[in-house]
Structure formats: structure tokens, C-alpha cells
Amino acid sequence: MLDSRKSYGKVNICLKVTGQRGVYHEFLSRFMKLENIYDDIEFIHGVQNHFVLEGSFSCTKANNTIYKAYLKLLEYKDSSRKIQEFFSRHKVSVVKRIPEFGGLGGGSSNAATFLHMANDHCRLGLSIEELCQIGSSVGADVPFFLYNIESANVMGVGEKVEPFFERALDIKYLTPPNILCSTGDVYRNFRKNHYKELNKEEVDELKTISSREILDTFDARSANDLCASTVELYPDVEKYIKQGWFLTGSGSTVFTVEK
């Protein structure tokens, strides 16, 4: 094994839609990294004639965020030769622990960790801004994970990341079994049946409030604009949103903070 790194999950302390950009939704969200849930990504020596990705994924290789990140690196400036040479001699292996379709950002985190590892081992010399440019074309949450920070205000369609300096919260999470939430479906239903926007003054205020204050002030539906849409499409989620529990992203994972 050449290298092994942890690929952490996250929760959305809040998620408020602020506008639209074509088919995408702009938002303000407070992301917080979860130190207690992660996948392991390994680069392992092995000669092959194509890009090899191993792991227990529910998606096809073509739809995997790591593979998408690999393809984007091939297109970026003059990195193609170095990338192809390296991955003809190494395979990528992922030990999955972050539940898929749960709103914990596992796919985006995997892509970000892979980009950092490829940048280091292939000696691409890409800056964090360049990595974010590549990552944002793979997934909206990838830039947050690329910065490897505990907490941040994430804005736009995910490309704007502002570190928020606060004490990490002791977060307990639960991913309900057999509820696979489609982010695309949740957003489409939100736009059709639940659309609302946070105005600039509200955005500016929310950006300054600590995560602890947000969770003390809001309930699950008011903290996360997608909550109503998720529950409408996946009614079983509602039974897990008890007092003091919140939905992360488009679900299905819920979380609370240990006192």
C-alpha cells in the first residue's frame, strides 16, 4: 500500500436556499465535519492497463465521484500524462463506512480526498483553488472537503467556502435503514412545491451565528429548507425527526448534539 487517508463525512447544521442559477439552487449552509464517520481511501501498487477502482459502491464506475474526479484531472492543463502513468501502476481501493444516499457527503468527500492524494503522488502542484475548480465540477460539496476544515459557511452552489471558527460539536447521527433519498428528486420537488428564498439580510445574520445557536433556535423544518420536500417524498423519514433532531442535506440521516 502506497498511501491511506480518511475521507470524513459531514452534516448540514442548516441549509437555506437563497436563489436559483439555471437548473441549480444557490444556498447558504453551515457544514460541520464529522470526525467519527469516515471511509478509507488507499492507493495500492499494482500494474494494470486502465483505472482500477475497488469498493462496495451502489453506483456504477461511470457515476462514481472518484472516477469522475479522475476524468476531470485528465482534462486539466498538462496533468494527463502524469495521471495516466501513475494509475497504470496503482489502483484505488475504498473501504466504505459512510452510508450512501444519507446526506453525509460521502461521495463528495471521497472525490476530495482522491484529488488531494492524486495531486500529492502525481506531483501535479495544483493549488487548493485549482483543486476546488476541478472538484466543483464533480459535486457541490467537494470544495468544502478539499479545504479540510471543521466548520464553514458554504454558499453559491457549493463553490464558496468560508471557514467558520467555532468549537466542534459532539454530534450523534442516525441513518434510517432502507430509506435512500435522491438529492435530485428532493430538490426538484422543493422547487415545484416548497420553494422559498432567504433574503440577503437573513443570510448575513445567519452566517454570523454559531452552530450551537442555530440548533437551539430552529427546529428541523425551519433549519433545513429541504426537510419538507424530503418528508413528502420519503414519509418514513418523519418518524426519525424527533424533538432536538435535525435532517442533514436532503436526508435521510438525522442528527442531534450531545449536551
Side-chain angles (χ1 to χ4, degrees), residues 11-14 29-31 151-153 164 206-207 209-211:
V11 292
N12 300 87
I13 300 296
C14 64
S29 182
R30 175 71 50 74
F31 281 39
S151 178
N153 288 319
F164 189 87
L206 190 58
K207 286 167 60 177
I209 301 174
S210 73
S211 293

Side-chain angles (χ1 to χ4, degrees), residues 14 16 18 28 30 153 155 162 164 198-211 213-214 217-218:
C14 64
K16 307 297 289 183
T18 60
L28 163 65
R30 175 71 50 74
N153 288 319
M155 295 163 287
E162 294 181 354
F164 189 87
L198 201 66
N199 64 46
K200 185 180 183 304
E201 291 74 21
E202 293 171 316
V203 168
D204 291 341
E205 181 180 0
L206 190 58
K207 286 167 60 177
T208 67
I209 301 174
S210 73
S211 293
E213 289 177 276
I214 292 172
T217 303
F218 297 94

Side-chain angles (χ1 to χ4, degrees), residues 40-66:
D40 286 315
I41 299 182
E42 301 176 349
F43 285 177
I44 301 173
H45 291 288
V47 178
Q48 58 263 325
N49 58 11
H50 62 284
F51 182 79
V52 175
L53 174 61
E54 298 178 341
S56 299
F57 302 104
S58 62
C59 64
T60 64
K61 179 179 176 180
N63 289 321
N64 189 281
T65 54
I66 291 177

Side-chain angles (χ1 to χ4, degrees), residues 95-113:
V95 178
K96 289 294 294 179
R97 299 185 186 89
I98 301 174
E100 297 180 286
F101 305 104
L104 294 172
S108 294
S109 178
N110 287 174
T113 303

Side-chain angles (χ1 to χ4, degrees), residues 10 12 15 27 29 31 103-109 111-112 135-136 138-147 154 157-159 161 183 187 248-250:
K10 61 80 183 168
N12 300 87
L15 194 160
F27 59 84
S29 182
F31 281 39
L104 294 172
S108 294
S109 178
S136 61
V138 175
D141 296 347
V142 178
F144 167 75
F145 290 109
L146 283 166
Y147 278 101
V154 179
V157 293
E159 80 281 10
V161 180
T183 299
Y187 268 107
T248 179
S250 56

Side-chain angles (χ1 to χ4, degrees), residues 160-217:
K160 301 176 184 177
V161 180
E162 294 181 354
F164 189 87
F165 300 100
E166 61 180 342
R167 180 180 64 83
L169 300 177
D170 186 8
I171 293 173
K172 176 182 177 182
Y173 65 90
L174 171 68
T175 302
N178 305 317
I179 304 177
L180 305 179
C181 294
S182 165
T183 299
D185 288 348
V186 169
Y187 268 107
R188 279 188 287 272
N189 187 53
F190 168 80
R191 180 177 289 206
K192 180 180 179 181
N193 297 315
H194 302 278
Y195 191 83
K196 55 184 175 181
E197 291 183 7
L198 201 66
N199 64 46
K200 185 180 183 304
E201 291 74 21
E202 293 171 316
V203 168
D204 291 341
E205 181 180 0
L206 190 58
K207 286 167 60 177
T208 67
I209 301 174
S210 73
S211 293
R212 176 77 267 182
E213 289 177 276
I214 292 172
L215 298 179
D216 286 342
T217 303

